Amino acid sequence: MGQDFAQVSVLTSRPEKRRSVFPELGARPRVLVPVLKGQAAIPIVSIGDALLAFPGASGTLLALVEADPNLSGRLATQDERRRDMLRWVASLDYDGRQRRRMRVTLRVTADVAGSIRDAVADTEATSLVLEWPTTVSPRRHRLRSLTTQFAVGSLADVLFVRSDPVFPHRQIAPRSILAPVRGGPGARAVAATAGAMADAFGSTLTMLNVQSRSQHPDRTRRERRNFAQIVEEMRRPTTIVREVDGESAPDAIFEEAAGHDLVIMGSWLNPEQPQTLIGRGLSHTVRRLLCPVVVVRPKNLNWDSMATNSTRGGSSG
C-alpha cells in the first residue's frame, strides 16, 4: 500500500518561542465531561483534563444519575443512588501529570441529553467531551443515542473519544499525536484540539495533509494553502508537517497512524446525513486503528455552505 503515496515530510523550524495560540478554543476554555455510571469514563476524563492545561481554563465533570420513574417518592433510594454515583466517580482515578481535578456536579435526570444541554448552557462550555461508542463499549446503546443527538446543533465543540480498543478503560496519555487536516470548515478546530493535547501531554505532533489525486488541482492548491496557514497560526516550532498525495485518504491515514498513540481528526460533513460522524471508508479505517481516536465536531456548522463539498464525502478537517 505504501507505493501508492508520494510523501513529503518537513520539520518546521521557526524562531518563535511563544506558547501555542488556539483562538478556536476560546481565551479561557470551559470543558464539560458528562459521565454515566458503568461507562468507560477514564479515557474521556483524561482528555477533558488535558484541555484544562490552558491558563484560566475550567472544567466540570457532570455525573448523571438516571432517574427511574418506578422509584418516585422513594427518597432514600434516590439518595443512595446519588451516593453510589459519587463513590463511582471517586474511583475514576489515574496517574498522569496532566491531571487537573475537575469540579464534580451531580444531576438526577430522566432526560440525559436534555441535562447535558442544560449543563453546556449553564457552564458556557466551549468543549463537550463524549465517549464514542463501539460494539464493545459499556452502556453502548445509551451512548449511541447521545452520539446521534449531539452530532448536530451543539452549542460547544464536541470531542467524541474512542478509547484504546485493546485497553478501553485506560487513560489516554499519548507520546505522539497524528492530526489529519484537509482544510475544511472544521480544520482549525481540529488543529486547535491537537495542539492543545500535544502541549498538555508533552507529545510530538504530526500535522498530516492528505490530497486525492482524483480531485481537481484547484481544490488541492486551495486546501494546501489553507493547511499551510493553519500550521503557521499554531506557532508550534516543533510540529512535524507531512503532505501526502494518494488514491485513498483513509489508507493514507491508516499508514501514517502507525507508531502514533492518538489520532485526532475532523468529522465527516454531509447535510443529508448530519448525524454521521465519519464516512464509511474512514469508519472502516478507524476500526482498524490500534490507538485512541478523537473526532472533533465543531459547533455552529453552516450546512448550506458545505452542501456541495460534503455530498462528495468532504470532511470538516
Side-chain angles (χ1 to χ4, degrees), residues 70-257:
N70 297 321
L71 297 177
S72 58
R74 298 171 59 181
L75 298 181
T77 302
Q78 293 286 7
D79 286 343
E80 178 55 34
R81 295 179 70 196
R82 291 187 182 94
R83 288 192 292 270
D84 188 47
M85 170 58 91
L86 291 175
R87 285 192 293 267
W88 180 75
V89 168
S91 73
L92 301 177
D93 205 0
Y94 59 90
D95 296 325
R97 66 184 182 87
Q98 89 286 357
R99 180 69 189 255
R100 292 168 179 81
R101 305 270 180 181
M102 287 186 285
R103 66 171 184 167
V104 177
T105 297
L106 186 145
R107 295 191 182 187
V108 179
T109 179
D111 179 5
V112 172
S115 292
I116 294 174
R117 289 192 183 94
D118 289 344
V120 168
D122 292 344
T123 63
E124 298 181 326
T126 57
S127 296
L128 173 64
V129 185
L130 296 173
E131 182 178 349
W132 180 1
T134 68
T135 56
V136 297
S137 296
R139 308 298 307 277
R140 63 182 178 276
H141 298 298
R142 171 64 81 181
L143 294 173
R144 188 172 292 116
S145 174
L146 291 177
T147 300
T148 300
Q149 295 184 62
F150 283 94
V152 181
S154 174
L155 296 176
D157 291 342
V158 186
L159 279 61
F160 294 97
V161 180
R162 194 212 69 176
S163 58
D164 187 316
V166 180
F167 302 100
H169 294 273
R170 187 164 64 183
Q171 71 183 85
I172 296 175
R175 294 165 298 178
S176 178
I177 297 173
L178 176 69
V181 172
R182 295 192 65 182
R188 281 177 169 79
V190 174
T193 302
M197 294 291 105
D199 281 354
F201 290 109
S203 315
T204 60
L205 172 61
T206 299
M207 299 291 293
L208 173 67
N209 181 245
V210 181
Q211 297 297 333
S212 171
R213 293 174 184 152
S214 62
Q215 71 184 23
H216 195 281
D218 287 346
R219 178 179 173 183
T220 297
R221 285 191 290 271
R222 182 175 63 253
E223 291 188 349
R224 281 187 168 153
R225 184 170 59 250
N226 292 341
F227 176 72
Q229 289 175 346
I230 290 169
V231 171
E232 181 65 29
E233 290 169 6
M234 293 180 71
R235 303 176 187 173
R236 301 190 82 256
T238 57
T239 298
I240 300 170
V241 180
R242 294 180 66 83
E243 294 184 292
V244 177
D245 293 324
E247 300 299 333
S248 167
D251 286 347
I253 292 172
F254 181 77
E255 246 187 31
E256 292 290 330

